Amino acid sequence: MSSLLEIAVNLSANKLTQQIPDYKRFLFYDIKKSESKIIGIYGARGVGKTTLMIQLLRDLNLPLRETIYISCDHPVFSGVSLFDFLEEFSKKGGKIAFVDEVHKAPEFQAHLKSTYDFLDIKVIFSGSSVVQMANPDFTRRFSMYRLPALSLREFIELELNISLKNYLLEEIIKNHQDVALEIIRELNKEKILKLFGDYLEYGVYPFYLEDKKKFKDRLSDSINATLYTDLAELYNIHPEKIVTLKKLLTTIAVSEPLELSVENIASVTGISKATLYKYIDYLSRAELIMYIQNEAKRFKSIRKPDKLYLANTNLLNALCLNAKKGTMRETFFASMLRYRHSLYYSNKVDFLINEKYLFKVGGKNKDFSQVKNNRNSYLAIDDIEMGFERKIPLWLFGFLY
């Protein structure tokens, strides 16, 4: 184990010399302030978990012997006991360990628990959203943070190298004209609708910065890695079934959300309903899709179809050559709201937010005819910079985090 630690220290030092973005996502500051002994970061592939960990490590300014970065998917850690390694690191004066891709370590949950109980070190780890890393048994001892995909606000900060505020949903609903004006002034001569269009196409994953022209290829590789590596390994799915999972993704991409009843998908894909429910759960855990329940399911178990969407608009563009405008709008709205808000769909409108606010999502000609008597009903309207009364610009919901 001592020789492995020596190798790991050298690998960690090499990692610290690599170039990473200076831009720090909002979780950086939350985790930096946390005094928890063990902190977990989970999220989809490509959202920036590794970059966040290296930024946190560099910010510590501790001697190399007191900190270490390891990635459990590196060949040198194959079959290694995570607890034994961390124990050896602790004995040699280690204080903080950053453990990337922790789900690749055998029985990692038991090893982290033992580390918490018996070792005097701090651990910050990352793992795939595919793993049940937020289950109650796991989170009682640890502080867990989900790193979502980039918001529109973060994308604009990256693109323009400026700092912008995020806003509470209630602020946007009540004061959307003032909020929109404040943001547009900050953008100076840049056009918000142009930036919004760029975000929908390629701005969700930070790796777009490396090569915008190759972004779709890189995203396609990420989708395949999630399917053929993460899901296949964790759930022992046969390669032939992975092809079916990809077919399911494509079906969701080219369909209207409410066309996607389980019966319809089962018919189109040739998957049994029981298997389909299981696959939908897998894809949801991997943050490749999101499913929105009907509001009626809050109160009783009734047979209402769920709305199925791809998890974000970049996935929609990658899997569908001509994505429907309405689906694109709803996908953006749902992806921005679901990080911090409860989200249902309603028979009257597109979405019910926080069991209070009703929203229709659409273009300039959308009106209140379906919900004209409800004070808590609003329109999220595309292709407008500024709203009026209960008509709110769709892009503004990209500033919730």
Side-chain angles (χ1 to χ4, degrees), residues 31 38-42 123-126 142-146:
I31 295 172
I38 297 190
I39 295 169
I41 306 164
Y42 67 101
V123 176
I124 298 176
F125 68 88
S126 80
F142 315 143
S143 292
M144 299 296 298
Y145 294 86
R146 177 179 163 240

Side-chain angles (χ1 to χ4, degrees), residues 242-257:
I242 296 295
V243 175
T244 306
L245 276 175
K246 196 161 187 180
K247 184 178 179 182
L248 175 56
L249 277 179
T250 305
T251 301
I252 294 171
V254 300
S255 302
E256 296 282 358

Side-chain angles (χ1 to χ4, degrees), residues 25-27 42-44 47-48 146-151 154 204 206 287 335 339 401:
R25 300 199 57 196
F26 65 97
L27 279 189
Y42 67 101
V47 296
R146 177 179 163 240
L147 185 64
L150 289 175
S151 67
E154 293 177 299
V204 170
E287 299 192 44
S335 66
Y339 181 59
Y401 68 85

Side-chain angles (χ1 to χ4, degrees), residues 18 31 37 67 72 98 121 135 148 155 214 230 240 244 249 254 261 266-267 359 394 397:
Q18 293 179 4
I31 295 172
K37 184 176 178 180
T67 64
C72 293
F98 289 78
I121 61 169
N135 70 61
F155 167 73
K214 291 288 186 181
D230 297 346
E240 289 180 4
T244 306
L249 277 179
V254 300
S261 68
S267 174
F359 273 93
L394 178 61
F397 295 95

